[in-house]
Amino acid sequence: MAVRAEHDREVLAGLLGRDPVLHAYQLGDLDDFFWPYTSWFRRGEQVALLYHGVDPPTLLAFAAPADTAALGALLVDLVPVLPARLYAHLSPGLSGVLGGSFGLESGGRHHRMALTDPARLAAVAPAGAPLGSADLPGLRELYARAYPGNWFDERMLETGQYVGVREGGELVAVAGVHVFSPAYRVAALGNVTTHPRWRGRGLGAGVVAALCARLRGSVTHVALNVKADNAAAVRLYERVGFTRVADYDEWTLTAR
């Protein structure tokens, strides 16, 4: 069965929607907000996304264990059209099929988590207020101090789905989204951090709880990615009702 470029969002939504948590980021990228920056490839029921809105472009390819071989075959056939350097989020085991064509630099194992027990939100005091475009300078300053190297698309502030806490006029804690799509009923948390001077006071859990309560009015599934070795972050997310539902690996790929 040949690999084909897929341009039909309805088809893609049907395929990805069979597991909306595993494919939350891809479903979000079907939204008009991200769609112009995407290239989609499909073989049968397997889908891979190449997202061009970042440098280097990012390949997203996720599969349930039973489908890993089929998705791997799709990736092998994609090699000729992939850029010479890219980043990739891949289900475990998929990197091996690209190793003959690309040098692989590991970005580590990550967990995909989902909000499966929202009742726990009630046990956490929500904190913060919605942020907007006027808060961008303070947000940049906080990320530079507390979360350097994070992926933050400034356009995401336009969604209204960023929540922050200020102390003395300074932004000290924030939770936001990487994708937010009421149309496809998914959101993915991202860019969550607390200023080092203010850690250990529950502000991180507070802004996450406030944002999740806000998101649940618009979407059905709330997911996130977190590094597997970031035990403090994993505990925070578990505290507010998230559970680990899948693992994946991040890689930097450079053509041999």
Side-chain angles (χ1 to χ4, degrees), residues 194-204:
T194 301
H195 193 288
R197 292 200 311 268
W198 291 86
R199 289 174 183 166
R201 308 186 191 195
L203 293 180

Side-chain angles (χ1 to χ4, degrees), residues 91-110:
S91 286
L94 287 175
S95 61
V97 305
L98 298 173
S101 302
F102 292 91
L104 303 173
E105 179 183 347
S106 176
R109 175 62 54 92
H110 289 65

Side-chain angles (χ1 to χ4, degrees), residues 127-132 134-146 152 157 162-175 191 193-198 203 207:
L131 304 180
D135 298 296
L136 183 57
L139 199 52
R140 286 178 179 148
E141 183 177 342
L142 176 60
Y143 287 144
R145 179 69 178 86
F152 171 54
L157 275 174
Y162 273 69
V163 173
V165 172
R166 289 187 179 278
E167 294 290 344
E170 179 186 14
L171 196 61
V172 298
V174 66
N191 299 306
T193 196
T194 301
H195 193 288
R197 292 200 311 268
W198 291 86
L203 293 180
V207 290

Side-chain angles (χ1 to χ4, degrees), residues 7-224:
H7 306 288
D8 189 324
R9 278 191 269 196
E10 185 174 345
V11 169
L12 291 165
L15 293 170
L16 299 169
R18 295 175 304 165
D19 192 339
V21 171
L22 181 63
H23 300 300
Y25 285 77
Q26 291 153 299
L27 282 166
D29 287 340
L30 294 175
D31 205 277
D32 289 345
F33 193 87
F34 289 116
W35 177 258
Y37 304 97
T38 62
S39 296
W40 299 85
F41 304 93
R42 177 169 74 92
R43 169 186 274 161
E45 298 182 344
Q46 303 306 313
V47 175
L49 162 64
L50 186 62
Y51 179 68
H52 307 279
V54 291
D55 184 25
T58 299
L59 175 69
L60 278 70
F62 303 116
D67 296 325
T68 300
L71 185 54
L74 184 158
L75 294 180
V76 169
D77 286 348
L78 280 189
V79 166
V81 301
L82 293 177
R85 188 171 186 274
L86 68 156
Y87 204 66
H89 296 186
L90 305 174
S91 286
L94 287 175
S95 61
V97 305
L98 298 173
S101 302
F102 292 91
L104 303 173
E105 179 183 347
S106 176
R109 175 62 54 92
H110 289 65
H111 298 325
R112 172 69 48 81
M113 303 186 75
L115 184 60
T116 58
D117 189 5
R120 293 190 189 179
L121 293 173
V124 179
L131 304 180
S133 58
D135 298 296
L136 183 57
L139 199 52
R140 286 178 179 148
E141 183 177 342
L142 176 60
Y143 287 144
R145 179 69 178 86
Y147 198 0
N150 71 313
W151 179 71
F152 171 54
D153 185 335
E154 296 176 359
R155 298 183 307 140
M156 293 310 295
L157 275 174
E158 300 169 18
T159 66
Q161 305 302 323
Y162 273 69
V163 173
V165 172
R166 289 187 179 278
E167 294 290 344
E170 179 186 14
L171 196 61
V172 298
V174 66
V177 291
H178 280 157
V179 298
F180 171 65
S181 176
Y184 296 100
R185 307 296 296 172
V186 296
L189 267 60
N191 299 306
V192 178
T193 196
T194 301
H195 193 288
R197 292 200 311 268
W198 291 86
R199 289 174 183 166
R201 308 186 191 195
L203 293 180
V207 290
V208 169
L211 179 57
C212 286
R214 185 180 182 86
L215 290 170
R216 292 183 68 232
S218 304
V219 306
T220 304
H221 302 284
V222 181
L224 60 86

